[in-house]
């Protein structure tokens, strides 16, 4: 350490911190600290917000230097004090006056007592750290990486316990007891009622909490850096204001609901107003229908007739909101739970409701089909009702709403291959609820399976309704067979299965999503490759394209609604975590401050003009990128395909390609 200019033997202008300094926080040291910081910045490229941490390290080094001087020059081999002269080696840093003052402080009984106490405490800690030179920071990062966790940090008591696990993997009983006490405290503490400023770990250890650090997080981590703030108990006035705001919000919602009701049924008579569940998108009167359920998967469970009449009642009672009266003729899943159990007959299962009337959600009713009394299935058809639950497609409920909308509209005559496919379908058992299986090679998504397509999937192509995951996957096989294979593009492009990577799966099964995508990425780590992920948001079945280059750690975001990735934070978090996991498995070293430097590019792609075309746009985005043979997508999209929106002919091109491909596969 540098000596102060008044004590320095040569009387130069050096400003430094004397070894006799007992209080590193002394404001008289500010000038010296500024000098130390300027020297650090002169030698290292370091951010200004790390100043406090670096100066704390400097204070720690000063204490270590004083300990070194005492041990080396003021004590003999037996630890007895020695009245030594100023070492010539440090004569340029320490003045004679400083040295004498330093020695005199080391002779006092007060210093000896404090030194002995600290020595005993350091030599036998109650809960010794057992990870050697691996600090808390690297230990935390290794645990998160090993567990493929989407979290950015661990609770302090969890990290504290892991730091005390030996190489044999055993945990001492006293350490385990403290950890369990922390777990109990974390579940019992109510934030607003908590008046203890100590952390959970400090309470469990029953020790005071010191300012400037976070126990169980390692040196350099402070409460300020972690934004740990004690929650203030709200006053009665604040609680009253919150309550009034909630009341106003509820009142506004009620008014809005009443306005919607008035707008939707303002032309009905008083008699007609008995039933407000009349649906103009479903033919008025009695129509044959298929009945669907959305949980645990979207599937057809029965057939019957829907009664869409104004003033319709169910067992003399009004129908539940958003539902219509249906008569159940056939139960394909007799054990399926009714959406609205029948209070009159006590029926709770679909099989118990055969021959009676029940209420059924409107968006789960598909009308316009005949209701046969027996199956017309052919040998090559697979009845949807006997299809395994694992193979049935799980699709968000709102996604099928658009399918039901088409039933009230006049169907347009399809052309060319769509006309041919339409003719084929009329001669098959597809309309009876059977499906066709589209073989998926393991190279497409990383595993072999058969994609089932039912009548609702074929109708989406023929009559331009919102696309399901089955149609999306089928078109990706078309791209793989017709574009990637013949042009050798499979070395530069690949697909991720949207069924395994939609928003619902990311929220419910994040570990399974990460494992699947990481395995796909790690299979091609020796070259740059672009992975297409058609992403289903789950909030209405919206489709968008996420194209990931794990080699360059770039993510291209193409949304035909022109949103950005902040709309779906769970998706971004999972993708970032996956890229970081791949980086760790590839053993790529990145500075900790740049660990989250993953580039997200929002592409100004063509924009859809309705609430149906998102799936078709997503498919065109993939096709056009493959045709350009580019693993980078410009922010303003490709010049060759740039437009405000896709024309009808461009979208029909997708449907024609799908129809021709399905016919060529000879699965009908």
């Amino acid at each position: 350490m540098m000596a102060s200019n008044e004590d320095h033997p040569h009387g130069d202008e050096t400003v430094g911190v004397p070894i006799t300094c007992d209080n590193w926080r002394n404001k008289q040291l500010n000038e010296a600290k500024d000098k130390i910081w300027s020297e650090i910045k002169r030698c290292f490229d370091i951010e200004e917000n790390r100043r406090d941490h670096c100066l704390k390290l400097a204070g720690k080094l000063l204490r270590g230097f004083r300990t070194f001087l005492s041990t080396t020059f003021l004590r003999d081999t037996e630890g007895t004090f020695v009245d030594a002269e100023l070492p010539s080696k440090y004569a340029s840093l320490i003045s004679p006056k400083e040295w004498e003052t330093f020695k005199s402080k080391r002779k006092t009984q007060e210093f000896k007592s404090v030194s002995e106490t600290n020595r005993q405490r350091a030599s036998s800690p109650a809960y010794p750290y057992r990870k050697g030179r691996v600090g808390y920071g690297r230990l935390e990062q290794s645990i998160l990486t090993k567990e493929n966790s989407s979290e950015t940090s661990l609770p302090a008591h969890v990290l504290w316990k892991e730091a005390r696990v030996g190489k044999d993997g055993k945990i001492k009983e006293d350490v385990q007891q403290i950890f369990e006490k922390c777990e109990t405290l974390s579940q019992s503490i109510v934030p607003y009622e908590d008046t203890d400023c100590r952390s959970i770990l400090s309470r469990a250890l029953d020790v005071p909490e010191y300012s400037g650090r976070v126990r169980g997080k390692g040196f350099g981590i402070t409460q300020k850096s972690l934004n740990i703030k004690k929650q203030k108990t709200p006053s009665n006035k604040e609680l009253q204001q919150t309550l009034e705001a909630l009341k106003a919000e509820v009142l506004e919602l009620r008014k809005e609901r009443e306005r919607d009701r008035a707008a939707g049924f303002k032309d009905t008579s008083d008699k007609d107003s008995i039933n407000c569940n009349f649906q103009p998108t479903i033919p008025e009167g009695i129509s044959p229908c298929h009945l669907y359920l959305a949980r645990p998967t979207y599937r057809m469970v029965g057939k019957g007739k829907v009664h869409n009449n104004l003033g319709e009642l169910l067992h003399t009672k009004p129908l539940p909101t958003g539902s219509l009266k249906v008569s159940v003729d056939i139960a394909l899943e007799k054990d399926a739970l009714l959406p609205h159990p029948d209070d009159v007959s006590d029926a709770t299962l679909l099989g118990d409701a055969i021959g009676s009337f029940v209420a059924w959600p409107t968006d789960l009713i598909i009308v316009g089909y005949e209701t046969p009394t027996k199956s017309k299935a052919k040998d090559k058809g697979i009845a949807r009702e006997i299809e395994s639950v694992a193979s049935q497609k799980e699709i968000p409920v709102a996604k099928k709403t658009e399918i039901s909308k088409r039933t009230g509209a006049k169907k347009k005559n399809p052309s060319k291959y769509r006309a041919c496919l339409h003719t084929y379908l009329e001669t098959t058992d597809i309309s009876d609820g059977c499906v066709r299986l589209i073989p998926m090679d393991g190279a497409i998504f990383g595993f072999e399976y058969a994609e089932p397509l039912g009548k609702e999937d074929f109708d989406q192509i023929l009559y331009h309704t919102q696309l399901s995951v089955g149609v999306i996957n089928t078109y990706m096989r078309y791209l793989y067979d017709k574009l990637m294979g013949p042009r050798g593009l499979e070395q530069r492009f690949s697909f991720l299965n949207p069924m395994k990577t939609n928003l619902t799966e990311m929220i419910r099964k994040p570990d399974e999503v990460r494992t699947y995508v990481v395995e796909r990425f790690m299979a091609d780590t020796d070259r740059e490759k672009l992975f297409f992920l058609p992403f289903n948001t789950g909030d209405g079945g919206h489709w968008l394209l996420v194209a990931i280059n794990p080699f360059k750690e770039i993510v291209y975001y193409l949304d035909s609604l022109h949103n950005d990735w902040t709309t779906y934070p769970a998706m971004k978090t999972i993708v970032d975590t996956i890229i970081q996991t791949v980086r760790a498995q590839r053993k790529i070293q990145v500075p900790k401050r740049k660990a989250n430097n993953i580039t997200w590019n929002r592409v100004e792609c063509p924009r859809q003009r309705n609430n149906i075309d998102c799936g078709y746009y997503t498919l065109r985005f993939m096709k056009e990128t493959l045709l350009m043979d580019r693993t980078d997508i410009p922010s303003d999209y490709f010049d060759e395909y740039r437009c405000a929106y896709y024309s009808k002919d461009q979208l029909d091109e997708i449907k024609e390609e799908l129809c021709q491909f399905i016919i060529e596969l000879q699965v009908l």
Side-chain angles (χ1 to χ4, degrees):
M1 284 292 162
M2 294 175 289
S4 60
N5 54 3
E6 62 178 3
D7 293 330
H8 198 280
H10 305 294
D12 60 17
E13 297 301 323
T14 304
V15 178
V17 181
I19 61 173
T20 55
C21 171
D22 294 325
N23 184 7
W24 183 251
R25 299 178 181 177
N26 193 327
K27 293 183 179 180
Q28 295 179 359
L29 299 178
N30 287 348
E31 185 178 358
K33 289 180 179 179
D34 290 341
K35 177 65 176 178
I36 294 172
W37 177 239
S38 65
E39 288 295 311
I40 292 174
K41 293 197 67 176
R42 186 173 64 86
C43 300
F44 302 97
D45 181 14
I46 190 167
E47 298 172 357
E48 189 67 29
N49 60 7
R50 300 300 293 169
R51 172 190 166 98
D52 290 344
H53 176 60
C54 292
L55 291 179
K56 285 179 183 179
L57 283 175
K60 189 175 181 181
L61 291 172
L62 174 60
R63 294 194 299 273
F65 180 59
R66 289 201 299 259
T67 301
F68 165 76
L69 292 175
S70 297
T71 304
T72 307
F73 301 106
L74 299 182
R75 294 183 184 276
D76 57 18
T77 56
E78 296 180 357
T80 305
F81 181 81
V82 177
D83 190 5
E85 297 294 330
L86 173 63
S88 58
K89 181 179 180 180
Y90 302 108
S92 61
L93 300 175
I94 306 172
S95 69
K97 182 179 178 180
E98 275 186 88
W99 181 251
E100 292 302 322
T101 303
F102 177 70
K103 287 195 301 181
S104 63
K105 286 186 176 182
R106 260 43 184 178
K107 293 180 182 180
T108 63
Q109 187 60 40
E110 180 183 1
F111 173 79
K112 292 179 180 179
S113 176
V114 172
S115 178
E116 183 61 27
T117 299
N118 290 339
R119 186 181 297 108
Q120 290 294 334
R121 184 175 60 185
S123 62
S124 56
Y127 309 98
Y129 186 89
R130 305 184 68 185
K131 295 300 179 183
R133 296 178 63 86
V134 178
Y136 276 101
R138 282 189 291 172
L139 175 63
E140 183 176 46
Q141 189 175 17
S142 66
I143 294 173
L144 292 173
T145 302
K146 183 178 180 181
E147 296 180 353
N148 288 333
S149 175
S150 60
E151 301 294 332
T152 57
S153 63
L154 294 172
H157 65 281
V158 174
L159 190 58
W160 179 87
K161 185 192 79 168
E162 292 297 328
R164 282 149 184 83
V165 177
K167 293 182 179 180
D168 56 1
K170 295 182 180 180
I171 304 176
K172 289 188 176 181
E173 184 178 352
D174 53 352
V175 172
Q176 184 64 29
Q177 289 176 352
I178 294 296
F179 174 76
E180 292 174 355
K181 189 174 181 181
C182 289
E183 290 285 279
T184 302
L185 283 172
S186 65
Q187 298 175 16
S188 61
I189 292 176
V190 180
Y192 286 136
E193 299 177 359
D194 186 22
T195 58
D196 195 337
C197 62
R198 296 180 301 167
S199 68
I200 292 176
L201 181 57
S202 297
R203 299 183 209 190
L205 293 170
D206 196 20
V207 293
E209 189 67 274
Y210 301 102
S211 61
R213 78 164 188 190
V214 176
R215 188 179 295 275
K217 285 292 186 178
F219 182 77
I221 304 299
T222 64
Q223 295 189 13
K224 182 179 179 181
S225 65
L226 289 179
N227 291 323
I228 297 178
K229 296 181 180 179
K230 179 173 170 51
Q231 291 182 322
K232 178 183 176 182
T233 303
S235 63
N236 290 336
K237 183 179 179 180
E238 291 172 334
L239 289 174
Q240 186 64 29
Q241 291 175 344
T242 303
L243 181 60
E244 293 298 329
L246 290 174
K247 287 181 178 179
E249 185 176 350
V250 170
L251 181 61
E252 184 60 32
L253 289 173
R254 287 178 178 174
K255 291 180 179 179
E256 185 177 346
R257 185 175 63 180
E258 293 301 325
R259 287 195 296 268
D260 292 342
R261 286 182 176 178
F265 304 102
K266 61 183 178 181
D267 295 330
T268 60
S269 64
D270 293 339
K271 180 180 179 181
D272 293 337
S273 65
I274 297 175
N275 175 28
C276 292
N277 286 350
F278 175 80
Q279 297 296 327
T281 57
I282 293 180
E284 185 176 0
I286 303 175
S287 306
C289 67
H290 286 179
L291 305 176
Y292 284 76
L293 287 179
R295 300 289 184 271
T297 59
Y298 188 94
R299 68 209 187 277
M300 186 174 69
V301 296
K303 302 179 182 180
K305 298 180 180 65
V306 58
H307 298 246
N308 189 30
N309 300 307
L310 290 171
E312 191 75 55
L313 298 176
L314 179 65
H315 305 311
T316 71
K317 295 181 180 179
L319 287 162
T321 302
S323 299
L324 289 176
K325 177 180 177 180
V326 301
S327 58
V328 181
D329 297 331
I330 299 175
L332 303 177
E333 287 189 18
K334 294 184 178 180
D335 294 333
L337 293 174
L338 293 173
H340 301 288
D342 189 352
D343 296 334
V344 175
S345 62
D346 294 329
T348 57
L349 302 179
L350 184 62
D352 300 331
I354 296 176
S356 63
F357 295 100
V358 295
W360 207 273
T362 307
D363 59 352
L364 297 178
I365 300 173
I366 306 297
V367 303
Y369 308 109
E370 294 183 359
T371 307
T373 56
K374 62 180 180 178
S375 174
K376 301 178 183 178
K378 299 181 180 181
D379 294 338
K380 60 182 178 180
I382 300 177
R384 189 61 174 247
E385 59 269 24
I386 62 173
E387 178 190 352
S388 67
V389 174
S391 67
Q392 291 175 355
K393 299 183 291 299
E394 184 171 338
I395 306 173
V397 181
K399 186 174 187 180
K400 291 295 180 178
T401 305
E402 296 297 333
I403 299 175
S404 63
K405 289 182 179 180
R406 66 173 172 78
T407 57
K410 184 178 179 180
K411 298 181 179 179
K412 298 179 181 179
N413 292 325
S415 59
K416 297 182 181 179
Y417 289 104
R418 278 178 286 165
C420 184
L421 180 62
H422 185 269
T423 302
Y424 274 127
L425 292 175
E426 288 183 337
T427 64
T428 67
D429 53 4
I430 295 295
S431 61
D432 298 333
C434 294
V435 300
R436 294 298 183 268
L437 301 179
I438 307 298
M440 292 290 176
D441 188 87
I444 303 175
F445 296 124
F447 59 95
E448 291 186 6
Y449 77 106
E451 184 70 50
L453 294 182
K455 180 171 177 57
E456 64 271 21
D457 301 303
F458 292 114
D459 284 350
Q460 291 163 13
I461 307 171
L462 296 175
Y463 305 112
H464 196 84
T465 59
Q466 194 163 354
L467 299 183
S468 66
V469 67
V471 177
I472 296 287
N473 287 343
T474 302
Y475 190 79
M476 283 195 280
R477 180 185 162 177
Y478 163 79
L479 292 176
Y480 184 84
D481 288 0
K482 301 297 184 179
L483 278 181
M484 292 175 62
R487 301 189 182 194
L489 299 180
E490 66 271 14
Q491 301 300 317
R492 291 164 51 77
F493 300 91
S494 193
F495 297 110
L496 296 172
N497 190 303
M499 188 59 206
K500 285 181 167 287
T501 52
N502 58 57
L503 186 62
T504 302
E505 292 297 301
M506 288 183 175
I507 295 174
R508 291 172 49 194
K509 305 174 184 177
D511 292 339
E512 293 184 13
V513 174
R514 284 194 295 269
T515 299
Y516 166 65
V517 179
V518 168
E519 288 179 354
R520 291 287 285 161
F521 287 175
M522 289 302 296
D524 294 281
T525 57
D526 57 339
R527 59 179 175 269
E528 183 179 348
K529 199 170 190 180
L530 190 66
F531 288 82
F532 293 118
L533 167 57
F535 181 74
N536 189 281
T537 65
D539 53 354
H542 177 58
W543 288 100
L544 56 90
L545 180 64
V546 178
I548 308 171
N549 186 332
F551 188 86
K552 290 186 175 180
E553 299 188 354
I554 298 177
V555 182
Y556 301 98
Y557 182 89
L558 296 87
D559 189 344
S560 55
L561 290 180
H562 283 204
N563 295 322
D564 59 34
W565 54 84
T566 58
T567 311
Y568 314 106
M571 177 268 292
K572 183 180 185 301
T573 299
I574 289 268
V575 172
D576 285 347
T577 303
I578 288 169
I579 293 177
Q580 291 170 354
T581 302
V582 172
R583 178 197 300 159
Q585 293 190 13
R586 292 173 61 197
K587 299 181 179 179
I588 297 176
Q589 299 296 325
V590 176
K592 191 171 183 179
R593 66 176 181 273
K594 296 183 179 180
N596 295 325
N597 285 7
I598 297 170
T599 303
W600 281 72
N601 289 338
R602 179 178 174 273
V603 178
E604 290 292 335
C605 51
R607 184 169 187 168
Q608 69 185 82
R609 297 186 293 173
N610 55 36
N611 60 349
I612 296 175
D613 290 346
C614 56
Y616 300 96
Y617 275 63
T618 298
L619 298 182
R620 280 205 70 95
F621 296 155
M622 289 190 289
K623 175 185 176 181
E624 290 169 353
T625 305
L626 289 172
L627 290 173
M628 294 301 299
D629 190 12
R630 290 178 57 175
T631 56
D632 65 301
I633 303 177
S635 297
D636 54 355
Y637 206 56
F638 304 111
D639 291 338
E640 293 80 356
Y641 298 105
R642 190 179 303 153
C643 58
Y645 54 86
Y646 288 132
S647 66
K648 179 180 180 298
D649 290 340
Q650 287 174 303
L651 300 185
D652 284 346
E653 181 181 293
I654 299 293
K655 291 180 277 189
E656 286 290 288
E657 290 169 345
L658 271 167
C659 292
Q660 181 180 1
F661 183 61
I662 292 172
I663 293 171
E664 289 177 354
L665 290 176
Q666 297 183 352
V667 296
L668 298 175

